[in-house]
Amino acid sequence: MTTAALPTPLVSPETLIAALAAGATPLAIDCSFDLADVAAGERAYAQGHLPGAIYAHLDRDLSTAKTGRNGRHPLPSRADWAATLARLGVTPARAVVVYDAQGGMYAARAWWMLLWAGHRDVRVLDGGLQAWKAAGGAIEAGVVAPVAARTPYPLGDSLVASVDADTLHKSLGRVTLLDARAGERYRGEVEPLDARAGHIPGARNRFFKDNLDASGRFRPAAELRAAFESFGAAPAAVVHQCGSGVTACHNLLAMEAAGLPGSVLYPGSWSEWSSDPSRPVAVG
């Protein structure tokens, strides 16, 4: 399965099933997770996953240690991420398919991080585990141990852009900031997870679940394109954030799928921003 054969960041279950039948050997990574029960995704993976799929844990594999000021799911250093990729068996020559059972919210984070390492051949399974089952894809139980690479992943130039909190603070009013959280959290009506309620001043709300249709697959590219173009900014001027830098990747993925590449991630997101009382907060 090559980049040329799969020109978008998404791969349908039907296409993947056909590719596997034709002899493709992508590395499948299950990223299923539950913020309220951090072991739930791993348990569900052991009960049933794509054949040969390994598991990546949001806290252990896709994040680094929290300090109280760097958000709930801070990015590791690129060097630490290279070591994790090697432990998972990711090499530059191997295609990767990431998926979850939560509408792609965690798979999108892994997709972005692989691009951040310079890994080009990565796709998100459209519709995730549910769509795979509905398409007749095989399921196996148990835990697959990764076959580690011999050396750390050879990092290339990042294929995605990000911004830190200080730079974003200075850029407020000059970028289009999209908040991927549910509307009630964006407006500051509730805040179950972070230090303060509200949103970054000037941010506009684009709930990540609005990227999906009733079946849990991404909406057609033209529909996504119209939705994101309605914010009136070129992709390079769009910065994505959410609660902790996870579902923001879903909006970034949707823009890529819509043919709007080049938008920017604020990885620390609201959990980092709100931890510093000197940073401004808006509500409503």
Side-chain angles (χ1 to χ4, degrees):
M1 190 163 56
T2 67
T3 302
L6 300 171
T8 77
L10 301 171
V11 58
S12 72
E14 295 81 5
T15 298
L16 182 57
I17 289 169
L20 294 173
T25 57
L27 176 64
I29 303 180
D30 189 321
C31 305
S32 300
F33 196 75
D34 184 341
L35 293 174
D37 180 355
V38 298
E42 202 164 15
R43 290 196 305 269
Y45 158 80
Q47 292 168 1
H49 53 78
L50 269 65
I54 62 171
Y55 182 75
H57 192 280
L58 177 63
D59 289 340
R60 295 196 308 266
D61 300 314
L62 305 181
S63 306
T64 193
K66 295 179 284 190
T67 66
R69 286 296 183 91
N70 62 349
R72 284 184 283 106
H73 296 110
L75 287 178
S77 69
R78 289 186 90 224
D80 285 347
W81 177 230
T84 296
L85 287 175
R87 178 171 52 79
L88 294 175
V90 178
T91 65
R94 192 168 189 190
V96 177
V97 174
V98 291
Y99 73 93
D100 59 38
Q102 289 79 32
M105 60 187 292
Y106 303 110
R109 163 76 169 225
W111 167 82
W112 189 92
M113 290 182 68
L114 280 153
L115 294 174
W116 181 50
H119 191 83
R120 293 182 177 275
D121 204 350
V122 55
R123 302 289 181 271
V124 174
L125 179 62
D126 195 9
L129 186 62
Q130 297 90 334
W132 175 262
K133 291 179 179 178
I139 295 292
E140 68 178 25
V143 174
V144 178
V147 179
R150 294 181 180 179
T151 59
Y153 185 93
L155 295 170
D157 292 338
S158 174
L159 303 174
V160 288
S162 61
V163 63
D164 61 37
D166 290 340
T167 302
L168 178 60
H169 197 169
K170 295 172 185 176
S171 302
L172 294 182
R174 299 196 303 275
V175 297
T176 296
L177 185 59
L178 298 186
D179 189 325
R181 295 176 298 165
E184 60 271 19
R185 288 189 67 201
Y186 163 80
R187 293 187 296 270
E189 296 164 4
V190 297
E191 183 44 68
L193 298 170
D194 295 318
R196 291 185 285 170
H199 59 264
I200 300 172
R204 300 169 71 180
N205 191 211
R206 169 65 183 182
F207 187 30
F208 79 95
K209 289 187 179 180
D210 290 340
N211 298 325
L212 305 175
D213 64 19
S215 74
R217 297 200 194 197
F218 277 78
R219 296 183 183 276
E223 192 174 330
L224 291 172
R225 187 179 186 97
F228 284 101
E229 284 183 335
S230 72
F231 291 104
V238 175
V239 176
H240 298 278
Q241 52 96 186
C242 56
S244 63
V246 176
T247 59
C249 296
H250 201 277
N251 277 347
L252 201 150
L253 171 63
M255 286 190 68
E256 292 280 341
L260 298 170
S263 56
V264 181
L265 177 68
Y266 168 34
S269 285
W270 180 248
S271 56
E272 178 185 63
W273 185 274
S274 62
S275 71
D276 185 340
S278 71
R279 295 191 185 115
V281 169
V283 296

